[in-house]
Amino acid sequence: MRLADFSADSPGTLVPTVNGLQAFVPDVLPPEIDVADLVPDLQAATLALGELKGAISPLANPELVIRPMQLREAVSSSNMEGTFTTFTDLLVFDAGGPSDPQQDTVEVHNYVKALRHADRLMQELPVCGRLITELHKILLSNVTKKARGAAVEPGFLKKHQNFIGGTPKSPRFVPPPPAEAVKALGELETFINRPHRRGLELIDAALIHYQFETIHPFPDGNGRVGRILIPVYLQATGIIDGPYLYMSEYFERHKDDYIDLMYGVSSSNGWISWIKFFLNGVEESSRSAIATTKQLINCSEFFRQQIMAGRGRSAVLVQIMDLLLSNPVLSVAQIAHRIGQSDQTVRNNLGWLVEKDLVRELKLHRPKLYISPLVLDIISGHQEKI
């Protein structure tokens, strides 16, 4: 960490740590910033987020679009950490197979599980230390020794100094030592749960994300936990009414700016540039989610039209295709259980759907698994074929 980068305006304190290095401890939020500089960006982000809410809220079953978007978020957020899997492998594992998946697939699936569990946790807890450690526990569970998280205890804060970028002897950034990190995390929890500044929640989300990533309270998994906290915080404040704003695709596309701008806050008080970047991300992510929502709704309507044209009014066929919108890979037994039909009825209907290429059987899997190629196209951005 180049100490010369840190100006007198830096919003934090440098403290001695291991290897003769200095660690950065951020000041307590909120900083003093001129919100007037952010008004146009805040208005654009708020408008786009409102349009996303308007696109999803009327749906009878919002899970039809939320679950596919969570899969995209898991892949993008994990890619940023050097963990890669295909959407097909992730969907197959989510459906219960194979028994010996690649470890990267397990890690990405942990992210999906954490996203889903966050929604349940919020029904019982505020956005607090316990919620954060629960998410970390899910993210880092069942990771083998070859994976990056093997040396950490899932759900426990760091016990040793960690580093961001570079090497332990020459890191790009040194977050707070363990004791200071515990104190800073407690102060962040207080900030998160104070009376909200109406109209400024998106700005506060930017502050919170920076602060959490700067504290870096865990040995591993900080980036992923921090990105999950964005929709969690916005849902807790009521800005969104469901877990449907995810920003990792935006951060992944602008990864260098994402890293550099947060560093710029620490080194030279670059709050305005970071918050503008974050608000632009809210706008872009909302627009992208709106487009995905429209694609999935159109896909559902296309399925209905195909079913009506080929088989007339078939409630079972519609039920199967609606189920495959939110769960794009399933077995016969899983479909039968969820729609309340016999295995044989499901097989008969799947046969017709396969014949029309609305559904395909995934080879080499037992039990047999079925996928909707159109849904895979949408959630993978037409990047992945089966």
Side-chain angles (χ1 to χ4, degrees):
M1 191 163 78
R2 296 195 313 172
L3 299 185
D5 289 348
F6 290 77
S7 71
D9 293 331
S10 174
T13 304
L14 294 172
V15 300
T17 186
V18 299
N19 300 334
L21 297 170
Q22 296 283 306
F24 181 81
V25 180
D27 290 340
V28 177
L29 295 177
E32 292 186 12
I33 55 175
D34 188 351
V35 175
D37 292 340
L38 300 167
V39 168
D41 304 274
L42 179 59
Q43 289 176 335
T46 302
L47 176 62
L49 191 54
E51 291 176 6
L52 174 58
K53 182 176 180 179
I56 293 180
S57 295
L59 297 178
N61 181 13
E63 289 292 305
L64 291 181
V65 297
I66 289 174
R67 289 176 73 90
M69 287 194 292
Q70 288 177 330
L71 294 167
R72 288 179 70 163
E73 165 68 9
V75 170
S76 292
S77 187
S78 299
N79 283 352
M80 292 184 68
E81 309 299 331
T83 302
F84 302 97
T85 191
T86 67
F87 280 95
T88 302
D89 285 347
L90 176 60
L91 290 165
V92 167
F93 185 61
D94 195 43
S99 58
D100 56 343
Q102 296 293 318
Q103 276 304 302
D104 276 12
T105 302
V106 174
E107 283 202 63
V108 178
H109 189 257
N110 281 353
Y111 194 98
V112 177
K113 289 167 61 178
L115 287 172
R116 294 171 182 169
H117 192 58
D119 208 35
R120 293 190 288 270
L121 284 173
M122 289 179 65
Q123 298 174 24
E124 306 171 6
L125 299 170
V127 184
C128 61
R130 180 183 162 196
L131 181 146
I132 291 169
T133 54
E134 282 288 316
L135 294 177
H136 186 263
K137 183 177 182 180
I138 295 169
L139 278 169
L140 275 297
S141 293
N142 301 315
V143 176
T144 67
K145 294 179 180 179
K146 293 182 180 179
R148 291 171 297 100
V152 312
E153 295 180 80
F156 288 89
L157 301 179
K158 64 187 179 186
K159 297 176 182 177
H160 307 284
Q161 179 68 64
N162 52 355
F163 309 94
I164 302 175
T167 67
K169 291 186 178 180
S170 181
R172 183 181 187 195
F173 183 79
V174 185
E180 287 84 348
V182 171
K183 181 174 183 291
L185 191 61
E187 291 166 344
L188 177 58
E189 181 180 339
T190 298
F191 177 78
I192 290 172
N193 290 288
R194 81 205 185 292
H196 300 298
R197 301 186 294 171
R198 286 297 151 202
L200 300 179
E201 291 90 348
L202 292 178
I203 291 176
D204 287 348
L207 303 181
I208 291 164
H209 187 69
Y210 159 80
Q211 195 81 349
F212 183 84
E213 298 304 333
T214 301
I215 296 169
H216 236 59
F218 299 105
D220 188 26
N222 295 283
R224 287 167 287 173
V225 173
R227 289 187 285 276
I228 292 174
L229 285 177
I230 295 171
V232 165
Y233 173 73
L234 293 178
Q235 196 173 349
T237 63
I239 297 301
I240 55 178
D241 53 10
Y244 49 71
L245 178 74
Y246 298 111
M247 297 182 64
S248 289
E249 283 189 354
Y250 172 79
F251 292 148
E252 186 184 10
R253 282 198 307 274
H254 306 283
K255 186 174 180 179
D256 289 344
D257 290 337
Y258 174 66
I259 295 170
D260 290 345
L261 287 168
M262 282 197 285
Y263 183 81
V265 174
S266 301
S267 63
S268 53
N269 204 37
W271 282 112
I272 297 298
S273 296
W274 159 250
I275 296 171
K276 282 177 176 284
F277 172 81
F278 186 93
L279 293 174
N280 184 63
V282 172
E283 181 182 7
E284 282 196 23
S285 300
S286 297
R287 300 287 180 206
S288 176
I290 290 168
T292 300
T293 298
K294 290 179 178 177
Q295 286 181 304
L296 290 167
I297 291 171
N298 291 340
C299 186
S300 177
E301 182 57 31
F302 172 76
F303 290 153
R304 281 169 166 73
Q305 290 173 356
Q306 294 297 302
I307 291 168
M308 287 289 290
R311 291 287 289 269
R313 295 181 180 277
S314 173
V316 174
L317 286 172
V318 171
Q319 285 179 309
I320 292 174
M321 294 315 300
D322 278 350
L323 188 58
L324 286 171
L325 273 168
S326 56
N327 303 267
V329 172
L330 290 170
S331 66
V332 168
Q334 289 169 331
I335 295 171
H337 174 73
R338 297 190 194 191
I339 68 174
Q341 298 288 339
S342 69
D343 286 6
Q344 190 58 53
T345 296
V346 170
R347 282 195 195 90
N348 292 342
N349 282 274
L350 280 171
W352 186 85
L353 292 168
V354 169
E355 181 183 326
K356 297 299 180 182
D357 203 31
L358 297 177
V359 170
R360 293 181 193 170
E361 179 186 333
L362 288 172
K363 306 299 183 182
L364 305 178
H365 291 288
R366 290 292 181 272
K368 291 181 180 180
L369 295 173
Y370 295 85
I371 188 170
S372 166
L374 289 177
V375 178
L376 177 64
D377 277 351
I378 292 170
I379 64 174
S380 69
H382 303 277
Q383 297 172 355
E384 192 172 310
K385 301 299 178 184
I386 54 173

